[in-house]
Amino acid sequence: RQCRARCSARRPARRGGCGMDGFAGRAAFVTGAGSGIGRALSLALARAGCHVVCADIDAASAEVTAASCRPQGVQALALVVDAGDRASLHAAIDAAELWAHGYGGISSFVANAGVLVIGGLEASEADWERGWRVNTMQSVWAAQKMVPSMAARGGGSIVVVASAAGLLTHHGALPYAVTKAAAVAVAKWIAVSHGAEDRIAVSCVCPQAVHTLMTRGADPTRELHAASAMAGQDGVLTADVVAQKVLEGVAQRHFLVLPHPSVNKYLKYATEVPEKWIARMQELQTSWREAYVPASRL
């Protein structure tokens, strides 16, 4: 007990990241900030008074987001980063930490960049590798940098933008469902292993369909949008709505942030009666094939 007390006394004061009442003056890093949820999150953080690192694989898109944040009275840095490449992500984090030194370093890291990888058992090794690196390993690589630095400063927050597919599955997109499920597992592991000891608040965001480049202009004859169509059965939210729910979840220190309330019901059903849930999903799989998959693929 005495040892615990001495260790606690040596810890820096708890910071807790950018909670809803603590965004002002802090700094956050957002991947995939050039569009969709990433852009909406960057703008929401800026409106809350948080300085933002807007990172994206597309330089022009990152700068557009950063430029949109600055009128809110905060500083914003546009960075080019490939979230699916460890060296690129680590280099961007190093640059961001230097930029944010005057704001106390990066208080919140949002692993938002993602790729929708289509296909079932026939999916290529390249598709699996791409989904694995961006959807899953991004969070591992970010944590390698952010956990030690946040812990040294007294705490912080990590937000992993996964998907309801990671909790339930995704028709027509095996690599996506698996790599998003792995992202959920990574978030959970970080929360368990570093939440209390290093004071890292972790939130895992699992929406269904959101109006982004992945789902815009859904066309049943196109495989990409067909894979997104079933996820939109409970409504397609705007990125702004999702961003607000994320900020609220982080502020309340919720681990699981579910922008679509129905996901909580489905998750409970899948856990309590998995056989019935699978049977229901099999029915939906049949409906999905009949409604969205071209006859040549049946």
Side-chain angles (χ1 to χ4, degrees):
R1 183 177 301 171
Q2 289 177 346
C3 179
R4 268 199 307 271
R6 286 197 299 271
C7 292
S8 296
R10 290 196 296 267
R11 284 180 175 174
R14 183 169 189 161
R15 299 183 65 196
C18 291
M20 185 64 80
D21 58 351
F23 286 113
R26 301 282 182 85
F29 187 118
V30 182
T31 67
S35 64
I37 296 174
R39 176 170 288 176
L41 278 169
S42 298
L43 291 170
L45 286 163
R47 286 192 291 269
C50 198
H51 307 292
V52 189
V53 177
C54 305
D56 198 273
I57 197 168
D58 183 83
S61 297
E63 181 52 49
V64 168
T65 300
S68 299
C69 290
R70 294 178 188 123
Q72 303 301 321
V74 301
Q75 297 300 312
L77 174 68
L79 285 180
V80 176
V81 63
D82 180 354
D85 181 87
R86 180 178 183 271
S88 176
L89 186 57
H90 279 191
I93 291 173
D94 287 341
E97 287 280 30
L98 286 173
W99 176 82
H101 179 74
Y103 315 124
I106 300 298
S107 296
S108 289
F109 187 96
V110 184
N112 166 75
V115 291
L116 175 57
V117 184
I118 302 303
L121 298 175
E122 78 285 355
S124 70
E125 290 296 317
D127 284 341
W128 276 102
E129 181 68 13
R130 183 164 61 99
W132 174 249
R133 295 178 72 85
V134 178
N135 294 341
T136 305
M137 292 306 298
Q138 169 190 188
S139 298
V140 176
W141 295 329
Q144 289 171 347
K145 281 284 189 179
M146 296 310 312
V147 168
S149 59
M150 286 179 174
R153 293 191 289 259
S157 64
I158 293 176
V159 179
V160 176
V161 180
S163 168
L167 299 174
L168 300 168
T169 197
H170 196 303
H171 297 287
L174 173 61
Y176 183 75
V178 171
T179 55
K180 286 297 188 177
V184 174
V186 170
K188 190 178 298 183
W189 188 92
I190 296 171
V192 169
S193 302
H194 297 283
E197 182 177 347
D198 294 318
R199 299 174 177 179
I200 308 297
V202 181
S203 294
C204 185
V205 186
C206 295
Q208 289 182 293
V210 181
H211 279 296
T212 66
L213 294 176
M214 285 186 185
T215 58
R216 190 174 299 139
D219 178 352
T221 67
R222 295 173 61 189
E223 188 177 18
L224 174 63
H225 295 299
S228 300
M230 290 299 287
Q233 295 298 301
D234 292 317
V236 183
L237 299 180
T238 66
D240 289 335
V241 168
V242 173
Q244 186 59 35
K245 290 182 180 295
V246 171
L247 263 61
E248 291 171 359
V250 171
Q252 297 167 21
R253 293 185 171 271
H254 288 169
F255 171 73
L256 206 55
V257 179
L258 304 176
H260 293 79
S262 56
V263 173
N264 190 45
K265 177 183 67 176
Y266 299 152
L267 183 59
K268 183 178 180 180
Y269 186 42
T271 302
E272 294 181 352
V273 282
E275 295 80 12
K276 290 184 178 180
W277 174 78
I278 288 174
R280 175 55 180 155
M281 290 295 285
Q282 289 170 341
E283 294 174 0
L284 291 174
Q285 172 78 0
T286 300
S287 298
W288 171 76
R289 283 182 176 275
E290 292 175 350
Y292 299 109
V293 179
S296 61
R297 287 185 51 83
L298 289 176

